[in-house]
Amino acid sequence: WGSKKYLTASLDQSLERLQIEYVDIFYSHRFDPLTPLEETADALAQSVYQGKALYVGISSYSSKQTIRMNKLLKERGISCLIHQPSYSMLNRWIEKDLLKTLSKLGIGCIAFSPLAQGMLSEKYLHKIPKNSRAAENSSLDKSKITKSYFIKIKGLSKIAKKRGQTISQLAIAWVLRHKTMTSALIGTRTVKQLEECLDSLKNLKFSKLELKQIDKFAKEEKINLWEPSSRY
């Protein structure tokens, strides 16, 4: 997790596999309650001073631990460049206090899983297709495709159509509406999916009425696999 040995070995192994001398950003992907945060900060700072990373970031840290890590890195002469949390219409945990904290500290935010592992797409609008994460039961449990989910996705689909967007495009544009949001990480299998996601940028504006209508359906679906890391 966050031990110096693990982080250092992990980075060295990644550099070897990638056959490169350094990475642009090296993340601490989980808060580790069993390792002193000072040790994790030491490992991140060391990666920069050794020239193995240009910048460092954190992922799935709570607001409280983000403040702590930012302070520890500053004491070591390093800036925490960015926070990478899971965030989507069905997973809104960062709105409680993390976004405000990042804005206050001047740390960027790059949301991963903005499409909720494919749940915020046309894919599961009617049934579970064979070529999908849910069907393969890989990173998306079939049990997450519930009646509650279908009601939400159908409601969001109607709003998306009024905006001239697909559900995926609506979901990405919605995530990017925050000033603190630097970018959104998408996972695509085909060029067609990639182009669809990129077309989200054609309509990023939301009226107050649209946001109010979206809030009726953009509610938690208990899909945050990384929630344990952000409890502390």
Side-chain angles (χ1 to χ4, degrees), residues 16 48 69 75 122 219:
E16 186 177 346
V48 175
M69 177 57 87
E75 290 171 356
E122 309 284 342
K219 299 181 184 295

Side-chain angles (χ1 to χ4, degrees), residues 29-74:
H29 274 282
R30 302 283 186 279
F31 171 76
D32 182 0
L34 302 179
T35 299
L37 202 58
E38 289 81 359
E39 182 175 334
T40 303
D42 280 342
L44 292 174
Q46 178 180 281
S47 71
V48 175
Y49 288 128
Q50 290 182 339
K52 296 178 181 179
L54 295 182
Y55 304 98
V56 296
I58 55 178
S59 179
S60 299
Y61 275 54
S62 68
S63 177
K64 177 183 176 182
Q65 301 304 345
T66 295
I67 293 170
R68 282 189 64 207
M69 177 57 87
N70 184 64
K71 182 174 182 292
L72 290 170
L73 287 173
K74 277 192 172 183

Side-chain angles (χ1 to χ4, degrees), residues 72-110:
L72 290 170
L73 287 173
K74 277 192 172 183
E75 290 171 356
R76 288 156 177 76
I78 301 293
S79 295
C80 183
L81 180 75
I82 200 160
H83 190 302
Q84 180 183 281
S86 60
Y87 179 54
S88 71
M89 288 178 164
L90 304 179
N91 175 22
R92 302 179 64 168
W93 71 278
I94 68 172
E95 294 176 1
K96 182 181 178 182
D97 53 11
L98 183 59
L99 282 173
K100 289 180 181 178
T101 294
L102 296 178
S103 179
K104 186 177 180 180
L105 297 177
I107 298 174
C109 184
I110 180 167

